[in-house]
Amino acid sequence: MERRVREWVRGWSACRGTPEPVEEPDGFRIDVGTPGHRVRFVLVGTASVRARATELTGPGTWLKVCAPRAEAVPLFGRKWVVGDPEFLMSCALGGGVVTSAPDGYRTAVVRERGFAQVVVTGPDGDRAARGRFAVHGGAAVVDQVETEPAHRRLGLGRHVMSTIGARAADLGAGVAVLVSTVEGRHLYESLGWRVDSDVVAAHLPEPAAP
């Protein structure tokens, strides 16, 4: 699992345009630097969760723990806001079929600094769906896959994911990795992805503006 976490952390950082992750004894630190999300720690296992949850006090600090949820959640103190369940998932690439977009929809792969983005536009020219991916060390990390509400239930999520898989394989990736919500997990499992670990996300909220 540690290898998958390492792949995800580095790809997520590339997709979000943050500084390079810093490796620490129990995981990684990413200096995100945005309001409400100043710094992120990604921990592998629960051994240091209680100590980290006690010593970290800065508002806008996030902890992501890759471990069984039932083991990790009780280790956070009351000051932490624990989020909904998430899942570290992976899938082998190569040989998959790229599903077509519905009639009237157009797909483009846009290269950005450090990552690429699949963008699907609808018949009206507005963005209907998108998904980012970054290839690092033979692994493609998928991030921010979303479909606009007016364009859901048309297969655009499958289309974006299959397009990402094909393009990432062309760039030399043999495996894809992501962190999914409960809702997204059902889509990804139907596409052949597997769950490698629970992910428990918690943060220290910043004070509300007066």
Side-chain angles (χ1 to χ4, degrees):
M1 182 182 69
E2 184 174 351
R3 178 181 177 182
R4 290 287 174 258
V5 174
R6 181 185 303 274
E7 292 166 342
W8 173 67
V9 166
R10 298 202 175 279
W12 184 91
S13 175
C15 286
R16 300 298 177 104
T18 74
E20 281 285 318
V22 176
E23 191 161 352
E24 301 199 341
D26 54 353
F28 302 87
R29 186 186 84 242
I30 307 172
D31 294 312
V32 181
T34 60
H37 200 158
R38 307 292 180 179
V39 60
R40 165 182 290 211
F41 293 87
V42 180
L43 308 183
V44 182
T46 59
S48 64
V49 174
R50 191 184 299 276
R52 288 284 196 173
T54 300
E55 70 186 22
L56 296 172
T57 59
T61 298
W62 284 73
L63 277 177
K64 289 250 185 180
V65 181
C66 298
R69 186 174 178 86
E71 296 178 13
V73 169
L75 301 177
F76 291 94
R78 293 183 178 180
K79 64 184 180 180
W80 291 87
V81 177
V82 178
D84 293 332
E86 298 179 351
F87 308 93
L88 179 68
M89 305 184 71
S90 63
C91 179
L93 296 179
V97 177
V98 178
T99 63
S100 300
D103 290 344
Y105 288 79
R106 301 183 65 179
T107 304
V109 180
V110 182
R111 297 297 299 270
E112 306 283 355
R113 183 178 180 181
F115 67 92
Q117 184 164 220
V118 175
V119 180
V120 182
T121 53
D124 56 3
D126 291 339
R127 188 181 72 193
R130 69 164 184 172
R132 293 182 176 185
F133 69 98
V135 176
H136 186 281
V141 172
V142 183
D143 188 41
Q144 294 184 319
V145 176
E146 53 188 29
T147 301
E148 298 299 326
H151 301 274
R152 291 175 182 169
R153 301 189 182 280
L154 298 174
L156 293 181
R158 289 177 176 271
H159 172 65
V160 168
M161 290 298 295
S162 64
T163 302
I164 288 175
R167 291 302 182 97
D170 289 343
L171 293 173
V175 65
V177 185
L178 57 74
V179 168
S180 170
T181 62
V182 172
E183 181 180 353
R185 174 180 175 175
H186 300 304
L187 168 64
Y188 301 134
E189 285 184 325
S190 73
L191 297 175
W193 290 66
R194 70 177 189 183
V195 173
D196 294 308
S197 173
D198 290 347
V199 177
V200 180
H203 72 283
L204 296 173
E206 295 190 334

